[in-house]
Amino acid sequence: MYSHGVRLFCLAMCLPLRLSLATDNSYYSAGVVEYADETGTSKERVTKATAGFVTLIESNDASDLDILVFPEHVLNNGDYATFVPDPEEKITPCFSPDYELFFVEISCATRARNIYVVINVVEKELCGKDYGSDALNPCPASGVRLFNTNVVLDRRGRVISRYRKTHLWRREYYSMAVMRQPDLITFETDFGVTFGHFICFDMLFYEPAMRLIFEQNITDIIYPTYWFSELPFLSALQLQEGWAFANNVNLLAADGSNPGKRTTGSGIYAGRSGRQVAAIYQQPTVQLLKARLPKRSLGGVADPEVLPAFQPQSTTARHTGLLTYRDYNLDVFRTALLPADFVNESQRLCHGSFCCNFQVERRPIPSAAEYAAYRYRLAAYFSNETTFILVDRSEQAVCAVFACLDEELASCGRIFPDHIEVANRYYFEHIRIEAVFPAARRRLIMPSTLDGSMRPLPVLQFNWTEMPSAQLLSETQVQLELLQPKNDLLTFGIWANYYSQVPTTHNLDHLQPIVLNARSSSVAIESTSSFCLLLLALILQLR
């Protein structure tokens, strides 16, 4: 907080702006909101969400923040879509009420609280033959197209940044437009940090997420999301922390909260220092999470999460209220089922020429024999016969240990339901996984870990080694090692995204390639040849 003298000086000068609220100028104060879906009609949902957002912005809990991020999808809808001004116009909706009321109210609340606020909205834009954005989608007959859009408001409530989602989720493609060239959007703040931002599914693609890091050198990312968790590799916190760790960036992730429909998990992460705060819920929840993050340009360093002393436990916390998808990619992995009573396994498992080396050690825990217990498989994979949650093509390389309900591969990527009592009959004393990952111009290799509470392991609990470090154009040897024993594990592995460049058309008419049949091609060739001969004859006559 301010010193008393600085506070008096600011009041005396009547300045509306303030310094960063972090006590050390090498840090800034960030907040993310997990927010549950409102209920009722379209109008009622927007009205309730607006009131909820304003209450959080104006709350005492937000008074010490520099920036506050809200999740995707929970504020408005197509019935109450709003125009969003171009940031170059420097418009403040609070005193330019040409927009939906919710937008005006949030702009005013932001100005009153004097912080930066990021919201996600359904944006509308007029379009026609000679006007509107350069979108992939044809302009609808209504002359109005919709975008899934992040909007950043500065301390005055002014629109300073706008990002339109590039990679939509399933049926979003039927109602939302996508820019022909992905937005690559950044914004500067008065506390000395430049942010990039994108939305939800964008995290799994090279554009814009990785371009922000590699081309713009962005170290701080804003990430509104409404994530649908999938096991064993793509649950919400697991992906957020792994992505931030692999890129060594600060990440502010705000998620919707609907665990019964697979959505929950928000957090604030400091790259290789791991999460500063993160939470995942079993019931719809509204919660503000806050943390202090280092300003990378000033050399600030975050503290990793402190590890408690290990104690073997036969029963541990389980998050069974979160519904999850199963990763059907597992069915094409090369896997090996481990014995139910194994204590020491060393194996080399290969998928084609890509090989993973495993060493896994366990120790028994006295437990009730009648309780269910997970079985475990080793897995190796490197190819492009996979998808991201059945939505887009992917190319992945994976070395992992993951849990299964029984000896069948089809039971992997699932958890025991709440009514089944589960025990840890063994704890994991040590795991080491090693592999050499092929070189690629587009590649991200990350740790992928998860326990029964749907949280990734703290960064101090494992060791991560890359040799050579961060060299895309050379093969990279990676080692992941469990340093402190762990009672329960759902996933412990190395997960690499090779960013497939094969497009997915999503069954959309306007994305389908046009293929001429043989007769049409022949006619086209004959017509072109005839035209060329006629043109040549005319040229000869003129000579």
Side-chain angles (χ1 to χ4, degrees):
M1 298 294 291
Y2 290 138
S3 68
H4 182 65
V6 171
R7 188 185 300 111
L8 289 177
F9 176 76
C10 288
L11 290 172
M13 297 299 292
C14 298
L15 292 178
L17 302 182
R18 55 182 168 78
L19 300 174
S20 170
L21 290 167
T23 55
D24 184 335
N25 194 45
S26 298
Y27 298 85
Y28 67 94
S29 182
V32 299
V33 175
E34 171 121 355
Y35 200 91
D37 293 309
E38 300 290 0
T39 59
T41 65
S42 292
K43 181 178 180 180
E44 289 169 343
R45 294 198 304 272
V46 175
T47 300
K48 290 177 184 177
T50 305
F53 278 36
V54 168
T55 297
L56 285 163
I57 293 168
E58 294 181 342
S59 69
N60 288 334
D61 284 343
S63 64
D64 59 348
L65 297 179
D66 291 304
I67 188 165
L68 177 61
V69 182
F70 287 90
E72 179 193 21
H73 186 63
V74 298
L75 179 53
N76 70 321
N77 49 63
D79 293 336
Y80 289 87
T82 184
F83 293 110
V84 175
D86 188 322
E88 295 296 322
E89 297 175 3
K90 303 184 185 304
I91 288 176
T92 303
C94 184
F95 60 81
S96 302
D98 304 314
Y99 309 95
E100 272 294 331
L101 181 58
F102 76 83
F103 197 7
V104 176
E105 290 188 40
I106 291 172
S107 171
C108 291
T110 299
R111 187 177 66 176
R113 174 50 74 196
N114 197 21
I115 61 176
Y116 287 80
V117 169
V118 183
I119 59 175
N120 176 271
V121 305
V122 178
E123 175 196 1
K124 65 179 178 180
E125 178 195 66
L126 300 182
C127 59
K129 181 179 178 182
D130 300 314
Y131 57 94
S133 299
D134 185 16
L136 277 173
N137 314 56
C139 183
S142 65
V144 178
R145 63 163 56 107
L146 302 179
F147 291 98
N148 180 333
T149 302
N150 284 347
V151 180
V152 183
L153 303 169
D154 69 5
R155 298 190 195 274
R156 303 175 192 172
R158 180 177 59 184
V159 175
I160 61 167
S161 187
R162 176 184 67 189
Y163 166 76
R164 292 162 170 171
K165 188 176 181 181
T166 302
H167 301 281
L168 302 180
W169 171 263
R170 293 188 175 176
R171 291 180 178 83
E172 268 193 306
Y173 278 101
Y174 295 103
S175 59
M176 298 290 176
V178 173
M179 298 295 290
R180 191 175 305 277
Q181 294 298 323
D183 281 344
L184 199 64
I185 303 298
T186 64
F187 65 94
E188 297 178 354
T189 62
D190 61 6
F191 51 92
V193 176
T194 298
F195 290 91
H197 55 123
F198 50 84
I199 302 167
C200 198
F201 211 39
D202 289 332
M203 181 171 276
L204 292 176
F205 299 86
Y206 192 83
E207 293 182 312
M210 298 305 295
R211 288 186 61 200
L212 286 169
I213 294 168
F214 287 136
E215 297 177 18
Q216 304 289 326
N217 297 316
I218 297 299
T219 58
D220 295 75
I221 299 292
I222 301 292
Y223 181 59
T225 184
Y226 195 89
W227 189 259
F228 297 101
S229 285
E230 179 187 80
L231 297 180
F233 304 114
L234 294 180
S235 62
L237 301 186
Q238 179 183 19
L239 175 62
Q240 292 166 17
E241 184 149 4
W243 191 91
F245 181 96
N247 287 301
N248 195 23
V249 297
N250 294 336
L251 177 68
L252 283 61
D255 200 357
S257 192
N258 195 343
K261 293 187 177 180
R262 304 178 178 88
T263 297
T264 175
S266 303
I268 300 175
Y269 308 87
R272 296 288 166 114
S273 295
R275 59 183 176 267
Q276 303 302 289
V277 62
I280 193 162
Y281 301 97
Q282 299 195 73
Q283 298 294 329
T285 300
V286 175
Q287 183 65 50
L288 168 60
L289 306 174
K290 304 192 298 182
R292 192 180 73 151
L293 283 173
K295 298 179 183 178
R296 299 302 182 90
S297 62
L298 298 180
V301 178
D303 295 323
E305 182 179 0
V306 176
L307 285 178
F310 173 75
Q311 292 290 335
Q313 292 178 300
S314 61
T315 57
T316 44
R318 295 195 301 134
H319 260 50
T320 57
L322 171 61
L323 191 65
T324 59
Y325 286 114
R326 176 185 183 259
D327 183 357
Y328 284 99
N329 299 325
L330 301 181
D331 300 324
V332 297
F333 286 13
R334 175 76 187 280
T335 68
L337 179 67
L338 297 177
D341 58 353
F342 85 89
V343 292
N344 194 332
E345 285 286 333
S346 295
Q347 290 194 32
R348 179 178 176 86
L349 199 62
C350 298
H351 182 267
S353 60
F354 177 71
C355 296
C356 308
N357 296 307
F358 297 93
Q359 182 180 346
V360 186
E361 298 176 22
R362 298 194 304 178
R363 295 291 177 266
I365 303 174
S367 61
E370 67 273 14
Y371 284 8
Y374 285 105
R375 298 291 302 271
Y376 290 91
R377 281 182 181 266
L378 310 178
Y381 181 80
F382 181 36
S383 189
N384 59 4
E385 296 180 350
T386 55
T387 67
F388 292 137
I389 319 183
L390 303 180
V391 176
D392 273 272
R393 289 179 173 84
S394 70
E395 184 172 350
Q396 303 177 26
V398 181
C399 297
V401 183
F402 51 72
C404 309
L405 303 184
D406 54 42
E407 67 275 5
E408 297 296 327
L409 181 57
S411 75
C412 305
R414 307 181 192 276
I415 62 171
F416 286 109
D418 184 61
H419 68 273
I420 295 179
E421 294 185 287
V422 179
N424 305 311
R425 296 175 183 171
Y426 298 81
Y427 68 85
F428 289 86
E429 185 173 57
H430 180 254
I431 304 174
R432 184 169 65 242
I433 303 174
E434 295 178 325
V436 175
F437 287 77
R441 290 185 177 275
R442 296 184 173 196
R443 181 191 70 184
L444 185 66
I445 310 172
M446 67 179 75
S448 184
T449 67
L450 194 69
D451 67 15
S453 67
M454 294 296 172
R455 290 171 173 81
L457 274 60
V459 296
L460 290 181
Q461 198 160 8
F462 63 83
N463 184 61
W464 175 267
T465 306
E466 298 173 70
M467 297 182 298
S469 177
Q471 296 296 313
L472 291 175
L473 298 182
S474 63
E475 63 181 21
T476 304
Q477 182 174 344
V478 180
Q479 182 186 95
L480 175 65
E481 187 170 14
L482 181 68
L483 296 179
Q484 186 194 62
K486 179 66 178 169
N487 284 301
D488 62 317
L489 272 181
L490 295 180
T491 308
F492 190 83
I494 307 168
W495 189 87
N497 187 348
Y498 275 76
Y499 297 108
S500 172
Q501 297 185 62
V502 179
T504 304
T505 61
H506 303 287
N507 199 40
L508 298 172
D509 296 347
H510 64 275
L511 293 182
Q512 300 304 312
I514 303 301
V515 180
L516 296 175
N517 59 40
R519 186 174 182 278
S520 298
S521 300
S522 175
V523 170
I525 292 170
E526 289 175 8
S527 299
T528 302
S529 300
S530 299
F531 175 76
C532 290
L533 288 172
L534 179 60
L535 183 61
L536 179 59
L538 289 171
I539 292 171
L540 290 173
Q541 285 181 2
L542 290 173
R543 292 179 65 188

